[in-house]
């Protein structure tokens, strides 16, 4: 059974032996859910167990992708990236690609950073970038969507 107020519980699912795991899907971000379980007897005996102790879990909050993610070609070996901050971020993950398919992490920034200079580039090469907002690992998760840009060095 599940509850969002730890008072009123509703049936969530019934499982059969030997299943001991249930995944509760379709939940809203940042909400607490309380759970309790009961062992059910077979129909012939009709003696169920008492409910278990109550456990709880809070769903994570997904952060948005940064807006206005842009790059500026500075030189034949440097592209500067910038973006708007996302409230609640714990930094950003910046990735680069040569083919817009396979991305490699090139930097993880700190809280408050809104720019990054990529200075390890090759002349006259097309680069694709994407950025993901990072959470703190306990109340947020990385955003699903990434913003992306592409630029060619001089």
């Amino acid at each position: 059974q599940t509850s969002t107020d730890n008072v009123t519980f509703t049936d969530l699912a019934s499982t059969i032996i030997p299943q001991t795991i249930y995944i509760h899907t379709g939940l809203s971000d940042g909400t607490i859910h309380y759970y309790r379980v009961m062992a059910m007897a077979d129909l012939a005996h009709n003696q169920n167990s008492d409910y278990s102790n109550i456990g709880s879990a809070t769903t994570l909050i997904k952060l948005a992708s940064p807006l206005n993610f842009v790059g500026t070609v500075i030189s034949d070996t440097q592209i500067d990236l910038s973006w708007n901050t996302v409230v609640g971020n714990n930094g950003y993950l910046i990735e680069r690609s040569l083919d817009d398919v396979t991305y490699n992490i090139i930097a993880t920034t700190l809280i408050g950073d809104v720019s990054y200079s990529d200075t390890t580039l090759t002349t006259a090469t097309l680069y694709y970038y994407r950025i993901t907002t990072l959470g703190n690992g306990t109340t947020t998760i990385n955003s699903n969507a990434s913003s992306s840009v592409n630029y060619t060095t001089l």
Side-chain angles (χ1 to χ4, degrees):
Q1 291 189 318
T2 185
S3 171
T4 55
D5 63 7
N6 201 19
V7 175
T8 306
F9 283 82
T10 58
D11 290 341
L12 181 62
S14 294
T15 61
I16 57 172
I17 296 175
Q19 185 177 355
T20 58
I21 296 173
Y22 177 79
I23 299 173
H24 191 181
T25 60
L27 305 174
S28 299
D29 292 350
T31 58
I32 188 166
H33 294 269
Y34 300 92
Y35 299 94
R36 65 185 185 185
V37 295
M38 169 181 53
M40 300 180 72
D42 60 53
L43 293 176
H45 295 95
N46 199 22
Q47 292 181 326
N48 298 332
S49 72
D50 292 333
Y51 284 105
S52 67
N53 293 336
I54 295 173
S56 66
T58 302
T59 55
L60 301 175
I61 299 170
K62 296 176 188 172
L63 294 175
S65 291
L67 297 176
N68 299 318
F69 181 45
V70 296
T72 304
V73 178
I74 301 300
S75 71
D76 58 348
T77 60
Q78 180 178 340
I79 295 175
D80 287 353
L81 304 170
S82 63
W83 56 90
N84 290 355
T85 192
V86 174
V87 174
N89 82 78
N90 196 38
Y92 302 92
L93 178 74
I94 301 171
E95 298 173 285
R96 180 179 66 203
S97 173
L98 294 172
D99 59 9
D100 200 22
V101 175
T102 304
Y103 280 83
N104 295 302
I105 298 170
I106 59 168
T108 302
T109 70
L110 301 174
I111 296 171
D113 287 347
V114 291
S115 65
Y116 174 77
S117 293
D118 189 359
T119 59
T120 60
L121 306 176
T122 303
T123 302
T125 304
L126 176 63
Y127 292 96
Y128 299 87
Y129 294 92
R130 66 185 182 192
I131 186 169
T132 302
T133 308
L134 299 176
N136 66 15
T138 57
T139 60
T140 57
I141 60 175
N142 297 353
S143 58
N144 285 336
S146 295
S147 299
S148 62
V149 294
N150 61 71
Y151 294 94
T152 304
T153 54
L154 304 173

